[in-house]
mmCIF file with all atom_site columns, all heavy atoms in Angstrom:
data_model
loop_
_atom_site.group_PDB
_atom_site.id
_atom_site.type_symbol
_atom_site.label_atom_id
_atom_site.label_alt_id
_atom_site.label_comp_id
_atom_site.label_asym_id
_atom_site.label_entity_id
_atom_site.label_seq_id
_atom_site.pdbx_PDB_ins_code
_atom_site.Cartn_x
_atom_site.Cartn_y
_atom_site.Cartn_z
_atom_site.occupancy
_atom_site.B_iso_or_equiv
_atom_site.pdbx_formal_charge
_atom_site.auth_seq_id
_atom_site.auth_comp_id
_atom_site.auth_asym_id
_atom_site.auth_atom_id
_atom_site.pdbx_PDB_model_num
ATOM 1   N N   . ALA A 1 50 ? -27.099 -17.847 1.885   1.00 92.00 ? 50 ALA A N   1
ATOM 2   C CA  . ALA A 1 50 ? -27.527 -18.345 3.196   1.00 92.00 ? 50 ALA A CA  1
ATOM 3   C C   . ALA A 1 50 ? -26.379 -18.568 4.186   1.00 92.00 ? 50 ALA A C   1
ATOM 4   O O   . ALA A 1 50 ? -26.577 -18.457 5.405   1.00 92.00 ? 50 ALA A O   1
ATOM 5   C CB  . ALA A 1 50 ? -28.371 -19.584 3.032   1.00 92.00 ? 50 ALA A CB  1
ATOM 6   N N   . ASP A 1 51 ? -25.303 -18.974 3.634   1.00 92.00 ? 51 ASP A N   1
ATOM 7   C CA  . ASP A 1 51 ? -24.166 -19.325 4.509   1.00 92.00 ? 51 ASP A CA  1
ATOM 8   C C   . ASP A 1 51 ? -22.753 -19.204 3.758   1.00 92.00 ? 51 ASP A C   1
ATOM 9   O O   . ASP A 1 51 ? -22.801 -19.041 2.518   1.00 92.00 ? 51 ASP A O   1
ATOM 10  C CB  . ASP A 1 51 ? -24.282 -20.747 5.111   1.00 92.00 ? 51 ASP A CB  1
ATOM 11  C CG  . ASP A 1 51 ? -24.552 -21.750 4.103   1.00 92.00 ? 51 ASP A CG  1
ATOM 12  O OD1 . ASP A 1 51 ? -23.941 -21.718 2.971   1.00 92.00 ? 51 ASP A OD1 1
ATOM 13  O OD2 . ASP A 1 51 ? -25.307 -22.760 4.316   1.00 92.00 ? 51 ASP A OD2 1
ATOM 14  N N   . PHE A 1 52 ? -21.736 -19.456 4.497   1.00 94.00 ? 52 PHE A N   1
ATOM 15  C CA  . PHE A 1 52 ? -20.392 -19.374 3.931   1.00 94.00 ? 52 PHE A CA  1
ATOM 16  C C   . PHE A 1 52 ? -20.065 -20.502 2.931   1.00 94.00 ? 52 PHE A C   1
ATOM 17  O O   . PHE A 1 52 ? -19.254 -20.248 2.106   1.00 94.00 ? 52 PHE A O   1
ATOM 18  C CB  . PHE A 1 52 ? -19.352 -19.275 5.046   1.00 94.00 ? 52 PHE A CB  1
ATOM 19  C CG  . PHE A 1 52 ? -19.156 -17.946 5.650   1.00 94.00 ? 52 PHE A CG  1
ATOM 20  C CD1 . PHE A 1 52 ? -19.867 -17.570 6.746   1.00 94.00 ? 52 PHE A CD1 1
ATOM 21  C CD2 . PHE A 1 52 ? -18.418 -16.997 4.994   1.00 94.00 ? 52 PHE A CD2 1
ATOM 22  C CE1 . PHE A 1 52 ? -19.833 -16.328 7.267   1.00 94.00 ? 52 PHE A CE1 1
ATOM 23  C CE2 . PHE A 1 52 ? -18.307 -15.693 5.586   1.00 94.00 ? 52 PHE A CE2 1
ATOM 24  C CZ  . PHE A 1 52 ? -18.967 -15.309 6.701   1.00 94.00 ? 52 PHE A CZ  1
ATOM 25  N N   . SER A 1 53 ? -20.663 -21.711 3.106   1.00 95.00 ? 53 SER A N   1
ATOM 26  C CA  . SER A 1 53 ? -20.453 -22.739 2.183   1.00 95.00 ? 53 SER A CA  1
ATOM 27  C C   . SER A 1 53 ? -20.889 -22.304 0.795   1.00 95.00 ? 53 SER A C   1
ATOM 28  O O   . SER A 1 53 ? -20.296 -22.527 -0.168  1.00 95.00 ? 53 SER A O   1
ATOM 29  C CB  . SER A 1 53 ? -21.294 -24.011 2.510   1.00 95.00 ? 53 SER A CB  1
ATOM 30  O OG  . SER A 1 53 ? -20.831 -24.437 3.788   1.00 95.00 ? 53 SER A OG  1
ATOM 31  N N   . GLN A 1 54 ? -22.059 -21.646 0.703   1.00 94.00 ? 54 GLN A N   1
ATOM 32  C CA  . GLN A 1 54 ? -22.538 -21.119 -0.575  1.00 94.00 ? 54 GLN A CA  1
ATOM 33  C C   . GLN A 1 54 ? -21.574 -20.058 -1.188  1.00 94.00 ? 54 GLN A C   1
ATOM 34  O O   . GLN A 1 54 ? -21.271 -19.989 -2.330  1.00 94.00 ? 54 GLN A O   1
ATOM 35  C CB  . GLN A 1 54 ? -23.899 -20.465 -0.425  1.00 94.00 ? 54 GLN A CB  1
ATOM 36  C CG  . GLN A 1 54 ? -25.083 -21.423 -0.259  1.00 94.00 ? 54 GLN A CG  1
ATOM 37  C CD  . GLN A 1 54 ? -26.441 -20.728 -0.414  1.00 94.00 ? 54 GLN A CD  1
ATOM 38  O OE1 . GLN A 1 54 ? -26.503 -19.486 -0.550  1.00 94.00 ? 54 GLN A OE1 1
ATOM 39  N NE2 . GLN A 1 54 ? -27.501 -21.467 -0.218  1.00 94.00 ? 54 GLN A NE2 1
ATOM 40  N N   . TYR A 1 55 ? -21.042 -19.259 -0.232  1.00 95.00 ? 55 TYR A N   1
ATOM 41  C CA  . TYR A 1 55 ? -20.066 -18.192 -0.741  1.00 95.00 ? 55 TYR A CA  1
ATOM 42  C C   . TYR A 1 55 ? -18.790 -18.858 -1.294  1.00 95.00 ? 55 TYR A C   1
ATOM 43  O O   . TYR A 1 55 ? -18.317 -18.465 -2.265  1.00 95.00 ? 55 TYR A O   1
ATOM 44  C CB  . TYR A 1 55 ? -19.759 -17.223 0.499   1.00 95.00 ? 55 TYR A CB  1
ATOM 45  C CG  . TYR A 1 55 ? -18.961 -16.043 0.011   1.00 95.00 ? 55 TYR A CG  1
ATOM 46  C CD1 . TYR A 1 55 ? -19.441 -15.220 -0.938  1.00 95.00 ? 55 TYR A CD1 1
ATOM 47  C CD2 . TYR A 1 55 ? -17.657 -15.834 0.504   1.00 95.00 ? 55 TYR A CD2 1
ATOM 48  C CE1 . TYR A 1 55 ? -18.805 -14.098 -1.289  1.00 95.00 ? 55 TYR A CE1 1
ATOM 49  C CE2 . TYR A 1 55 ? -16.941 -14.742 0.011   1.00 95.00 ? 55 TYR A CE2 1
ATOM 50  C CZ  . TYR A 1 55 ? -17.481 -13.886 -0.872  1.00 95.00 ? 55 TYR A CZ  1
ATOM 51  O OH  . TYR A 1 55 ? -16.908 -12.848 -1.346  1.00 95.00 ? 55 TYR A OH  1
ATOM 52  N N   . CYS A 1 56 ? -18.271 -19.907 -0.583  1.00 96.00 ? 56 CYS A N   1
ATOM 53  C CA  . CYS A 1 56 ? -17.111 -20.652 -1.070  1.00 96.00 ? 56 CYS A CA  1
ATOM 54  C C   . CYS A 1 56 ? -17.441 -21.257 -2.416  1.00 96.00 ? 56 CYS A C   1
ATOM 55  O O   . CYS A 1 56 ? -16.557 -21.234 -3.336  1.00 96.00 ? 56 CYS A O   1
ATOM 56  C CB  . CYS A 1 56 ? -16.717 -21.726 -0.093  1.00 96.00 ? 56 CYS A CB  1
ATOM 57  S SG  . CYS A 1 56 ? -15.978 -21.111 1.419   1.00 96.00 ? 56 CYS A SG  1
ATOM 58  N N   . ARG A 1 57 ? -18.572 -21.829 -2.578  1.00 95.00 ? 57 ARG A N   1
ATOM 59  C CA  . ARG A 1 57 ? -18.911 -22.440 -3.930  1.00 95.00 ? 57 ARG A CA  1
ATOM 60  C C   . ARG A 1 57 ? -18.996 -21.405 -5.027  1.00 95.00 ? 57 ARG A C   1
ATOM 61  O O   . ARG A 1 57 ? -18.443 -21.469 -6.125  1.00 95.00 ? 57 ARG A O   1
ATOM 62  C CB  . ARG A 1 57 ? -20.271 -23.179 -3.848  1.00 95.00 ? 57 ARG A CB  1
ATOM 63  C CG  . ARG A 1 57 ? -20.128 -24.581 -3.399  1.00 95.00 ? 57 ARG A CG  1
ATOM 64  C CD  . ARG A 1 57 ? -21.360 -25.473 -3.771  1.00 95.00 ? 57 ARG A CD  1
ATOM 65  N NE  . ARG A 1 57 ? -22.570 -25.019 -3.092  1.00 95.00 ? 57 ARG A NE  1
ATOM 66  C CZ  . ARG A 1 57 ? -22.775 -25.297 -1.848  1.00 95.00 ? 57 ARG A CZ  1
ATOM 67  N NH1 . ARG A 1 57 ? -21.971 -25.982 -1.149  1.00 95.00 ? 57 ARG A NH1 1
ATOM 68  N NH2 . ARG A 1 57 ? -23.929 -24.761 -1.273  1.00 95.00 ? 57 ARG A NH2 1
ATOM 69  N N   . LEU A 1 58 ? -19.562 -20.255 -4.686  1.00 95.00 ? 58 LEU A N   1
ATOM 70  C CA  . LEU A 1 58 ? -19.539 -19.108 -5.621  1.00 95.00 ? 58 LEU A CA  1
ATOM 71  C C   . LEU A 1 58 ? -18.178 -18.686 -6.017  1.00 95.00 ? 58 LEU A C   1
ATOM 72  O O   . LEU A 1 58 ? -17.918 -18.468 -7.228  1.00 95.00 ? 58 LEU A O   1
ATOM 73  C CB  . LEU A 1 58 ? -20.343 -17.835 -4.943  1.00 95.00 ? 58 LEU A CB  1
ATOM 74  C CG  . LEU A 1 58 ? -20.285 -16.551 -5.834  1.00 95.00 ? 58 LEU A CG  1
ATOM 75  C CD1 . LEU A 1 58 ? -21.165 -16.748 -7.063  1.00 95.00 ? 58 LEU A CD1 1
ATOM 76  C CD2 . LEU A 1 58 ? -20.788 -15.383 -5.043  1.00 95.00 ? 58 LEU A CD2 1
ATOM 77  N N   . LEU A 1 59 ? -17.212 -18.617 -5.052  1.00 95.00 ? 59 LEU A N   1
ATOM 78  C CA  . LEU A 1 59 ? -15.931 -18.170 -5.388  1.00 95.00 ? 59 LEU A CA  1
ATOM 79  C C   . LEU A 1 59 ? -15.227 -19.311 -6.313  1.00 95.00 ? 59 LEU A C   1
ATOM 80  O O   . LEU A 1 59 ? -14.472 -18.917 -7.211  1.00 95.00 ? 59 LEU A O   1
ATOM 81  C CB  . LEU A 1 59 ? -15.039 -18.033 -4.156  1.00 95.00 ? 59 LEU A CB  1
ATOM 82  C CG  . LEU A 1 59 ? -15.346 -16.796 -3.301  1.00 95.00 ? 59 LEU A CG  1
ATOM 83  C CD1 . LEU A 1 59 ? -14.716 -16.711 -1.995  1.00 95.00 ? 59 LEU A CD1 1
ATOM 84  C CD2 . LEU A 1 59 ? -14.885 -15.506 -4.108  1.00 95.00 ? 59 LEU A CD2 1
ATOM 85  N N   . GLU A 1 60 ? -15.492 -20.529 -6.041  1.00 92.00 ? 60 GLU A N   1
ATOM 86  C CA  . GLU A 1 60 ? -14.888 -21.589 -6.789  1.00 92.00 ? 60 GLU A CA  1
ATOM 87  C C   . GLU A 1 60 ? -15.284 -21.644 -8.341  1.00 92.00 ? 60 GLU A C   1
ATOM 88  O O   . GLU A 1 60 ? -14.644 -21.993 -9.149  1.00 92.00 ? 60 GLU A O   1
ATOM 89  C CB  . GLU A 1 60 ? -15.265 -22.914 -6.150  1.00 92.00 ? 60 GLU A CB  1
ATOM 90  C CG  . GLU A 1 60 ? -14.350 -23.336 -4.937  1.00 92.00 ? 60 GLU A CG  1
ATOM 91  C CD  . GLU A 1 60 ? -14.987 -24.370 -4.044  1.00 92.00 ? 60 GLU A CD  1
ATOM 92  O OE1 . GLU A 1 60 ? -15.940 -24.939 -4.401  1.00 92.00 ? 60 GLU A OE1 1
ATOM 93  O OE2 . GLU A 1 60 ? -14.510 -24.495 -2.936  1.00 92.00 ? 60 GLU A OE2 1
ATOM 94  N N   . THR A 1 61 ? -16.593 -21.171 -8.449  1.00 90.00 ? 61 THR A N   1
ATOM 95  C CA  . THR A 1 61 ? -17.134 -21.194 -9.820  1.00 90.00 ? 61 THR A CA  1
ATOM 96  C C   . THR A 1 61 ? -17.222 -19.865 -10.489 1.00 90.00 ? 61 THR A C   1
ATOM 97  O O   . THR A 1 61 ? -17.777 -19.664 -11.538 1.00 90.00 ? 61 THR A O   1
ATOM 98  C CB  . THR A 1 61 ? -18.616 -21.768 -9.743  1.00 90.00 ? 61 THR A CB  1
ATOM 99  O OG1 . THR A 1 61 ? -19.364 -20.923 -8.936  1.00 90.00 ? 61 THR A OG1 1
ATOM 100 C CG2 . THR A 1 61 ? -18.624 -23.175 -9.284  1.00 90.00 ? 61 THR A CG2 1
ATOM 101 N N   . ASP A 1 62 ? -16.533 -18.840 -9.870  1.00 81.00 ? 62 ASP A N   1
ATOM 102 C CA  . ASP A 1 62 ? -16.628 -17.468 -10.341 1.00 81.00 ? 62 ASP A CA  1
ATOM 103 C C   . ASP A 1 62 ? -15.634 -17.285 -11.467 1.00 81.00 ? 62 ASP A C   1
ATOM 104 O O   . ASP A 1 62 ? -14.424 -16.864 -11.355 1.00 81.00 ? 62 ASP A O   1
ATOM 105 C CB  . ASP A 1 62 ? -16.197 -16.576 -9.091  1.00 81.00 ? 62 ASP A CB  1
ATOM 106 C CG  . ASP A 1 62 ? -16.236 -15.110 -9.483  1.00 81.00 ? 62 ASP A CG  1
ATOM 107 O OD1 . ASP A 1 62 ? -16.946 -14.743 -10.443 1.00 81.00 ? 62 ASP A OD1 1
ATOM 108 O OD2 . ASP A 1 62 ? -15.476 -14.337 -8.868  1.00 81.00 ? 62 ASP A OD2 1
#
Side-chain angles (χ1 to χ4, degrees):
D51 55 35
F52 278 95
S53 299
Q54 283 190 1
Y55 190 62
C56 288
R57 271 198 298 283
L58 175 68
L59 287 171
E60 279 159 13
T61 54
D62 178 27

